[in-house]
Amino acid sequence: MPNTPAATPPAKEISDHLEKDLAHLINVSGKLRMLSHQVVMCALLHETLGKTISFPHKLSEALDEFKSITAALTGSGASSDLGPDTQRLLRSGTVVSDHHRDTLTAFIQRAQALKTRPTMSEAAALGEFVAGEVLMALNQINANIRQTLDETIAEKRKAQEPLLRAASTSLDEINRLSKTLQLVAMNASLEAQRAGEHGAAFGEIAREMRGLSLKSMDQAKRLEHDLSHFKASQTTATGRPVTP
């Protein structure tokens, strides 16, 4: 039996999942700045205050979390929380360049060394490294993620615009036809009244047409409300209005 290829997720699902992943990565990449400073502070406080802090336990906790987030950002760690499209993007180097990867790796190696032979000079040097190269790399990584997220949102919005325009056009057409049907029903009702008992059947048809017109207009209003609600939700998510 021939193998059946796996179904490809719809573009909208891919876009939505990628958008959520990137928003999550913006938060965790920002956390790397805090963790890098926490590692340096642990080392400096240990050398200054001795055993009044839990060293290297606190340093290990911060460093382990830093390594875990770095692995996710570079696509080198298996994370079930990130979709396959997100992981492919991360492995492509678009978010984290080779230079940024080397900078983060160097920080991890130097911080790891402090766990076994901490000295004040090494801790101070690591602090300078964090305040300079590491901070620049993390800021750029965060900016890259934000740019990629903006591009993802723009692509999704561009794909939605024809559908929104088509929906608005259809609503306009429904409203136009409903009004026309209502006008015809009104005229038919007047003619039925003039015809007296001979127009009774015609009058019944006119009433049915008027009822159908009112139902069509009511449904059109509901669709218009749903469309407006959808546009408002997109504006809230992106910060930019969605126009039909």
Side-chain angles (χ1 to χ4, degrees), residues 132-147:
E133 293 182 50
V134 174
L135 184 59
M136 288 178 59
L138 293 177
N139 287 341
Q140 186 60 56
I141 290 170
N142 192 273
N144 290 345
I145 300 174
R146 290 180 181 276
Q147 180 180 350

Side-chain angles (χ1 to χ4, degrees), residues 4 48 57 65 68 98 109 111 117 160 162 167 174 181 183 186 212 215-216 220 226 230 232 236 244:
T4 303
T48 304
H57 178 66
E65 189 171 3
S68 176
D98 291 340
Q109 292 173 343
R117 44 181 173 76
Q160 290 172 341
I174 291 173
L181 186 60
L183 182 61
M186 185 182 301
L212 179 61
K215 288 181 180 179
S216 298
D226 291 341
F230 172 77
T236 301

Side-chain angles (χ1 to χ4, degrees), residues 13-237:
E13 290 185 10
I14 294 175
S15 177
D16 288 346
H17 200 162
L18 181 59
E19 185 178 334
K20 292 177 182 178
D21 285 348
L22 290 172
H24 167 70
L25 291 176
I26 287 174
N27 291 329
V28 297
S29 66
K31 190 174 184 180
L32 286 180
R33 291 192 288 261
M34 181 268 293
L35 290 171
S36 64
H37 285 85
Q38 184 176 338
V39 168
V40 173
M41 284 170 28
C42 282
L44 289 174
L45 287 173
H46 174 75
E47 289 304 306
T48 304
L49 304 176
K51 296 182 179 180
T52 57
I53 63 169
S54 178
F55 183 93
H57 178 66
K58 293 294 184 182
L59 186 148
S60 296
E61 286 184 347
L63 185 57
D64 287 345
E65 189 171 3
F66 188 99
K67 288 191 291 186
S68 176
I69 295 175
T70 299
L73 284 174
T74 57
S76 59
S79 175
S80 58
D81 295 333
L82 300 177
D85 294 282
T86 307
Q87 296 193 46
R88 279 193 293 271
L89 172 68
L90 295 174
R91 288 193 294 268
S92 71
T94 303
V95 172
V96 183
S97 68
D98 291 340
H99 175 68
H100 295 150
R101 188 191 301 262
D102 291 343
T103 299
L104 298 182
T105 301
F107 168 77
I108 292 172
Q109 292 173 343
R110 292 173 64 171
Q112 193 76 29
L114 288 179
K115 293 169 60 177
T116 56
R117 44 181 173 76
T119 66
M120 178 61 73
S121 60
E122 287 177 332
L126 184 61
E128 293 179 2
F129 183 50
V130 167
E133 293 182 50
V134 174
L135 184 59
M136 288 178 59
L138 293 177
N139 287 341
Q140 186 60 56
I141 290 170
N142 192 273
N144 290 345
I145 300 174
R146 290 180 181 276
Q147 180 180 350
T148 305
L149 177 58
D150 285 342
E151 292 171 353
T152 301
I153 292 173
E155 288 177 4
K156 185 174 74 171
R157 189 172 63 169
K158 184 178 179 180
Q160 290 172 341
E161 285 176 353
L163 297 176
L164 292 174
R165 284 196 296 269
S168 295
T169 301
S170 297
L171 281 173
D172 291 341
E173 186 66 14
I174 291 173
N175 283 322
R176 187 185 68 81
L177 291 174
S178 296
K179 290 177 181 178
T180 301
L181 186 60
Q182 190 175 37
L183 182 61
V184 171
M186 185 182 301
N187 290 333
S189 179
L190 291 174
E191 291 299 326
Q193 290 177 12
R194 290 192 186 99
E197 62 180 46
H198 299 292
F202 195 45
E204 184 65 27
I205 294 175
R207 284 191 292 272
E208 290 293 334
M209 290 177 64
R210 187 184 300 110
L212 179 61
S213 171
L214 294 175
K215 288 181 180 179
S216 298
M217 293 180 72
D218 183 61
Q219 186 62 36
K221 288 179 180 179
R222 292 182 183 182
L223 291 173
E224 188 172 6
H225 176 269
D226 291 341
L227 184 60
S228 298
H229 181 74
F230 172 77
K231 291 177 182 177
S233 68
Q234 294 301 297
T235 300
T236 301

